[in-house]
Amino acid sequence: MAQPITPIPKLQLTIMMLIQAAESLSATVIFPFVPQLVQDTGVTGGDERKTGYWAGVLESVFLVAEFASVYAWGRVSDHIGRRPVLLLGPLGLAFSLIGFGWSTTFSGLFVFRCAQGVFNGNIGVVKTVMAEFSDSTNLAQTLSLITMAWSSGSTLGPIIGGLLSNPQERWPNTFGKLQILHYHPYLLPCAATGLLTLSIFFLGLIGLKESSPVILARRKREKLQAAASTELTLTTGLLADESTGYGAMTRSDVAETPASSQELATLADEELPTIRELLVPRLVIPLLNYGFYCFCSTAYKVLFPLMYSTSIPNGGLGLDAYQIGVTHGVWGVLNTFFLLFVAARLIRRFGMRNVYIFSFANFAICVGAYPLLSVLARRAQRVDALVWAVVVVQGISNITLSWAYAAIQIYIVNSAPRPSALSSTNGIAQMTATILRALAPFLVSSLFAASLEWNVAGGYMVYIVLLCVVAMGICSSFLLL
């Protein structure tokens, strides 16, 4: 008989999903207009073929900054708690997004994009808290919701970026009367996203509770010590009330509140693990696969606006920011639906290994569609019905990609040897993710630009290289146990 699924604290889950969505929202809102924004700064010198280089720099610096800060955020959360670290994220994102939209020079864009990466560095803490709210019966569902939150933000971001960019041209009778939008045509989508993240900050400020088992154990021990010093008795009922107020402390193996002062002291005094203690095969193999997934996923997403916006003679589809945003949004909505209702069930039924292998293999279809789209568009000299048919096939395969993310996250969470190691484990995983996500935009966009500028392999060199990486990732997926 199947074990019943343990309910998850709904308010805490909602807040965590919103914080996760805010991070992906801020990361992706610039995608539809970043090629044009880079050209408007004058850094390309009017050469469209160089846009990919500089757009890649903005994509990469975001992730380099995240990489540099992610492990530090995790360690800070171990010492001061998850709540303050999580609240700093959306607050900082709000101001850095507005600054990005206000900038008219490439150096300004660089600085504020870097700041967004730093404040996105607490993403590993988000995953830790979601795991601490879960147990073995609901872990797949919870981690699928993390993916859904990220996917929702990734969907809404390009929609906002596409619909609200250049508002003075799209709505001349309303926004066109605001001179500030003539000087800063991309301020509106960035400011709208900033206000959303600021709203999430205030919601978290009101409702977010602490979840770190070590921090909670220390607080309980301090109250016990204070009660002992004043000869007060802390009853079982009071302990139960306090536990309810903070939600589940950790996963199934540590979900119970310490029953004795000795157990409480052990948990409160537990030392944080070193990186060397964590880097064992049980974690290294999932990290290897997570690295392949993050690189391929980021590369595929970076190529989306570049390839779709590049003119047809230069190997793209020649779509504008609005068309790119809507196309991206449609597949994002469908992706969210499948994550919510399908992903966790597939993992429970077929196992996380089988789901990961199947899902990752779909990168071959998604990436392979790019050169096919280019060939068909050049042949027709326009985006005809056949081109749109391939876009549909690419989008359907894209829906399955996020299932691999949910599956590999379960591997990573289960590799933590003890409660105090969960944040560090997620921190190492996020460092792996961010460094590869940082390299992917620069490498792929540079290869994209070089392929077109030097006509390497008919302009398709970037796709050939990426398909080779996908093939290696598929091979590594079979190492998972």
Side-chain angles (χ1 to χ4, degrees):
M1 185 176 178
Q3 187 177 1
I5 298 176
T6 305
I8 305 172
K10 292 183 175 59
L11 177 60
Q12 302 305 303
L13 180 63
T14 300
I15 294 173
M16 296 311 303
M17 290 180 65
L18 288 173
I19 292 175
Q20 176 77 89
E23 293 171 339
S24 60
L25 188 66
S26 65
T28 60
V29 67
I30 74 168
F31 283 0
F33 59 78
V34 69
Q36 186 60 50
L37 178 58
V38 167
Q39 293 180 37
D40 290 346
T41 65
V43 72
T44 64
D47 189 348
E48 180 189 17
R49 294 172 299 179
K50 294 182 180 179
T51 302
Y53 292 116
W54 296 106
V57 169
L58 288 181
E59 297 296 337
S60 294
V61 71
F62 175 91
L63 293 161
V64 168
E66 184 177 325
F67 168 78
S69 61
V70 64
Y71 191 73
W73 282 122
R75 300 293 280 195
V76 169
S77 77
D78 287 332
H79 290 285
I80 69 172
R82 317 290 190 222
R83 185 176 184 273
V85 169
L86 290 175
L87 291 177
L88 280 173
L91 179 63
L93 284 175
F95 292 102
S96 57
L97 279 164
I98 294 173
F100 186 91
W102 193 273
S103 299
T104 56
T105 64
F106 188 82
S107 59
L109 297 176
F110 184 93
V111 169
F112 284 108
R113 191 62 171 166
C114 184
Q116 291 169 30
V118 171
F119 288 110
N120 262 305
N122 66 356
I123 188 172
V125 182
V126 172
K127 297 175 183 177
T128 299
V129 173
M130 295 289 272
E132 287 172 342
F133 283 139
S134 308
D135 61 25
S136 59
T137 67
N138 55 28
L139 185 59
Q141 180 183 10
T142 303
L143 294 179
S144 295
L145 292 174
I146 292 181
T147 314
M148 190 194 75
W150 178 269
S151 176
S152 299
S154 299
T155 299
L156 186 59
I159 292 175
I160 293 175
L163 292 179
L164 299 186
S165 60
N166 290 304
Q168 75 285 356
E169 296 179 2
R170 190 163 293 137
W171 300 287
N173 296 326
T174 53
F175 291 110
K177 298 178 180 180
L178 300 176
Q179 287 298 317
I180 190 174
L181 296 180
H182 287 269
Y183 294 110
H184 306 283
Y186 306 107
L187 175 60
L188 186 60
C190 293
T193 306
L195 289 175
L196 283 174
T197 59
L198 191 61
S199 300
I200 293 170
F201 161 76
F202 283 114
L203 178 61
L205 188 64
I206 295 171
L208 186 61
K209 304 295 183 182
E210 185 57 62
S211 69
S212 169
V214 176
I215 296 295
L216 292 178
R218 288 173 184 169
R219 290 178 179 176
K220 292 174 186 291
R221 185 177 64 177
E222 288 170 1
K223 289 187 177 183
L224 283 170
Q225 291 172 344
S229 65
T230 56
E231 297 183 355
L232 294 177
T233 302
L234 188 62
T235 64
T236 303
L238 289 175
L239 280 172
D241 289 343
E242 184 186 42
S243 177
T244 302
Y246 286 111
M249 288 175 58
T250 168
R251 295 179 287 146
S252 58
D253 53 327
V254 288
E256 299 295 330
T257 302
S260 67
S261 297
Q262 184 178 359
E263 291 173 336
L264 197 63
T266 300
L267 182 57
D269 295 331
E270 198 171 88
E271 293 185 3
L272 300 177
T274 64
I275 294 180
R276 180 175 295 181
E277 291 174 337
L278 295 173
L279 291 180
V280 294
R282 182 181 178 185
L283 176 60
V284 170
I285 292 175
L287 285 180
L288 174 65
N289 282 274
Y290 190 36
F292 274 115
Y293 175 85
C294 292
F295 183 89
C296 294
S297 176
T298 305
Y300 167 67
K301 291 176 182 177
V302 167
L303 284 173
F304 187 89
L306 281 176
M307 192 274 173
Y308 275 45
S309 65
T310 299
S311 60
I312 292 176
N314 280 325
L317 298 183
L319 303 182
D320 59 28
Y322 176 82
Q323 292 172 310
I324 294 172
V326 171
T327 302
H328 195 284
V330 168
W331 298 121
V333 170
L334 292 174
N335 190 36
T336 300
F337 173 83
F338 277 91
L339 277 172
L340 184 60
F341 297 105
V342 177
R345 295 180 181 179
L346 289 176
I347 291 174
R348 286 197 297 267
R349 180 171 181 177
F350 297 104
M352 49 193 178
R353 182 177 185 270
N354 292 330
V355 170
Y356 180 83
I357 292 172
F358 169 80
S359 177
F360 188 91
N362 275 271
F363 273 118
I365 298 175
C366 291
V367 175
Y370 283 133
L372 180 59
L373 286 169
S374 177
V375 169
L376 294 176
R378 280 175 167 174
R379 181 179 300 171
Q381 293 298 306
R382 62 189 179 90
V383 180
D384 60 6
L386 185 57
V387 172
W388 282 114
V390 177
V391 169
V392 170
V393 173
Q394 184 186 48
I396 292 173
S397 292
N398 175 66
I399 291 173
T400 70
L401 299 181
S402 56
W403 303 351
Y405 181 87
I408 202 65
Q409 287 300 315
I410 299 176
Y411 273 106
I412 292 170
V413 168
N414 288 339
S415 69
R418 57 183 187 272
S420 63
L422 184 57
S423 180
S424 297
T425 300
N426 278 317
I428 293 173
Q430 201 57 39
M431 286 178 68
T432 302
T434 50
I435 191 60
L436 290 170
R437 284 172 174 162
L439 290 172
F442 180 74
L443 292 176
V444 172
S445 57
S446 296
L447 278 173
F448 181 83
S451 299
L452 297 181
E453 187 174 0
W454 300 328
N455 196 34
V456 181
Y460 302 133
M461 178 183 68
V462 60
Y463 309 121
I464 296 172
V465 172
L466 188 52
L467 284 171
C468 290
V469 176
V470 169
M472 289 188 291
I474 292 173
C475 293
S476 72
S477 67
F478 288 95
L479 299 176
L480 293 167
L481 300 177

